[in-house]
């Protein structure tokens, strides 16, 4: 015990010398020198107390064993058994597979063996497992309920389910097309002369474009959209691009944040439909003539 105290005191002195900061300055733990010393003393005291308790119990056990020694008992050697005898003496619980299939052990075969035999092959009376019967009769019950509900009740037959699923698929397709229409750009837009497209484009043109290009596309502040001359290209892709990004240096604003991609495509197709209408008071041609072959020329 004296040696332990000597070692602890020396360790404390070394620890204090290692962590001793300037007077009045806190250590890394936020404590000053005096508080750190007290903390280390408490920790070492607890360690020493624990060691003392362990040693005291060890000495107590040694003294008790010395006073009343435990007698030595020689091990009893049982005779070795043959494997089959040992196996027969083991209590074997049936496994999950055995319980599930309700199988009988081999030792119980004589109890389930039928009296007739074929070429000395005996048949065992192993009934069908209960779970299989429950499953089998359950399918019959479910089938009867299905027929009553779908053929005699409010349910749908297979052909009716097919029609309902096809209608749902068509609605999903329309929803997808409506979403995909807003994903087109100047590289993927296609010319579309469908009446519904042109009607929608005419409405968009009247609300947003007629103030600069005239109600018939004849041109006012902006250029004439009914002739074959274009400032920035006259095919569907260039028209879409001009409307989308605009031409700020010439006063054409960008409509990208005002109109959706679908709306820009519709008004672009409407502008294409104005070609050759030659309305009264049309503005003089500007730009270059667009090739009829469909080659890209510079759009308005």
């Amino acid at each position: 015990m004296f040696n332990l105290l000597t070692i602890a005191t020396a360790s404390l002195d070394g620890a204090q010398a290692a962590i001793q900061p300037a007077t009045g300055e806190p250590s890394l733990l936020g404590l000053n020198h005096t508080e750190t010393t007290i903390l280390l003393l408490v920790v070492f005291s607890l360690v020493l107390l624990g060691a003392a308790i362990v040693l005291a119990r060890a000495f107590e056990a040694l003294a008790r064993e010395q006073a009343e020694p435990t007698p030595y008992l020689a091990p009893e050697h049982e005779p070795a058994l043959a494997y089959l005898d040992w196996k027969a003496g083991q209590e074997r619980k049936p496994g999950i597979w055995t319980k599930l299939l309700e199988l009988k052990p081999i030792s119980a075969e004589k109890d389930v063996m039928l009296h007739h035999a074929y070429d000395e092959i005996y048949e065992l009376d192993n009934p069908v497992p209960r779970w299989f019967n429950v499953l089998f009769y359950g399918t019959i019950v479910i089938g009867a309920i299905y027929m009553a509900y779908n053929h005699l009740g409010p349910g749908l037959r297979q052909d009716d389910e097919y029609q309902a699923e096809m209608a749902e698929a068509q609605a999903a397709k329309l929803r997808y097309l409506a979403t995909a229409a807003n994903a087109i750009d100047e590289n993927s837009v296609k010319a579309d002369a469908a009446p519904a497209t042109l009607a929608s484009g005419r409405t968009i043109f009247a609300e947003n474009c007629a103030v600069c290009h005239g109600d018939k596309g004849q041109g006012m502040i902006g250029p004439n959209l009914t002739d074959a001359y274009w400032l920035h290209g006259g095919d569907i892709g260039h028209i879409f691009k001009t409307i989308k990004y605009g031409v700020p240096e010439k006063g054409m604003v960008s409509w990208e944040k005002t109109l959706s991609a679908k709306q820009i495509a519709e008004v672009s197709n409407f502008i294409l439909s104005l070609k050759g209408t030659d309305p009264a008071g049309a503005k003089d041609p500007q730009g270059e003539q667009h090739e009829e072959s469909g080659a890209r020329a510079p759009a308005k």
Side-chain angles (χ1 to χ4, degrees):
M1 185 66 69
F2 177 75
N3 291 337
L4 288 175
L5 291 174
T6 305
I7 294 172
T9 305
S11 301
L12 277 174
D13 293 339
Q16 292 174 9
I19 66 171
Q20 183 174 4
T23 304
E25 294 182 1
S27 67
L28 293 176
L29 298 176
L31 306 174
N32 57 32
H33 175 60
T34 303
E35 293 172 341
T36 304
T37 303
I38 294 173
L39 178 62
L40 290 174
L41 285 173
V42 171
V43 171
F44 275 104
S45 299
L46 292 175
V47 172
L48 290 175
L49 178 61
I53 292 173
V54 171
L55 288 174
R57 290 186 176 180
F59 288 139
E60 181 184 359
L62 288 174
R64 187 169 53 251
E65 184 65 25
Q66 229 175 8
E68 299 178 3
T70 303
Y72 172 76
L73 299 176
E76 297 181 0
H77 298 284
E78 297 181 358
L81 296 176
Y83 174 75
L84 293 179
D85 296 335
W86 172 83
K87 189 72 174 176
Q90 298 297 315
E91 183 180 354
R92 185 176 180 183
K93 296 181 180 180
I96 297 177
W97 186 252
T98 302
K99 291 181 179 179
L100 185 64
L101 297 181
E102 299 182 4
L103 300 176
K104 299 291 189 292
I106 296 179
S107 58
E109 281 190 354
K110 60 181 182 298
D111 299 330
V112 295
M113 187 179 297
L114 299 178
H115 298 292
H116 58 271
Y118 301 93
D119 294 334
E120 298 184 359
I121 298 176
Y122 289 89
E123 180 183 359
L124 300 181
D125 184 17
N126 275 327
V128 177
R130 280 172 291 184
W131 66 266
F132 185 87
N133 287 330
V134 170
L135 182 63
F136 175 73
Y137 291 114
T139 57
I140 297 176
V141 173
I142 293 174
I145 295 174
Y146 176 86
M147 180 174 293
Y149 180 79
N150 291 286
H151 292 267
L152 304 176
L156 299 176
R157 295 180 299 176
Q158 288 187 350
D159 52 345
D160 297 328
E161 288 182 0
Y162 172 77
Q163 297 297 335
E165 290 177 0
M166 290 300 295
E168 183 179 352
Q170 182 64 22
K173 179 181 178 181
L174 294 176
R175 289 194 299 269
Y176 167 76
L177 292 176
T179 303
N182 288 321
I184 59 177
D185 58 15
E186 59 273 16
N187 298 312
S188 59
V189 64
K190 303 294 183 183
D192 182 7
T197 300
L198 299 182
S200 179
R202 180 182 295 105
T203 302
I204 298 170
F205 183 89
E207 294 176 353
N208 301 280
C209 310
V211 66
C212 290
H213 294 280
D215 58 343
K216 296 180 177 57
Q218 71 273 19
M220 295 171 60
I221 301 173
N224 181 6
L225 302 178
T226 63
D227 56 25
Y229 292 84
W230 298 84
L231 292 170
H232 305 285
D235 59 13
I236 187 65
H238 279 118
I239 296 174
F240 185 100
K241 181 178 180 181
T242 303
I243 298 173
K244 180 178 180 180
Y245 299 109
V247 187
E249 63 273 13
K250 294 189 177 180
M252 173 66 180
V253 299
S254 170
W255 292 91
E256 182 178 11
K257 296 182 179 180
T258 305
L259 302 176
S260 66
K262 181 175 181 291
Q263 291 175 317
I264 296 177
E266 290 171 345
V267 74
S268 299
N269 279 286
F270 173 72
I271 291 173
L272 277 181
S273 71
L274 296 177
K275 183 177 180 181
T277 55
D278 296 327
K283 197 173 181 179
D284 293 336
Q286 294 175 271
E288 298 180 4
Q289 186 174 9
H290 177 63
E291 298 292 338
E292 292 294 337
S293 62
R296 281 187 178 273
K300 275 181 181 156

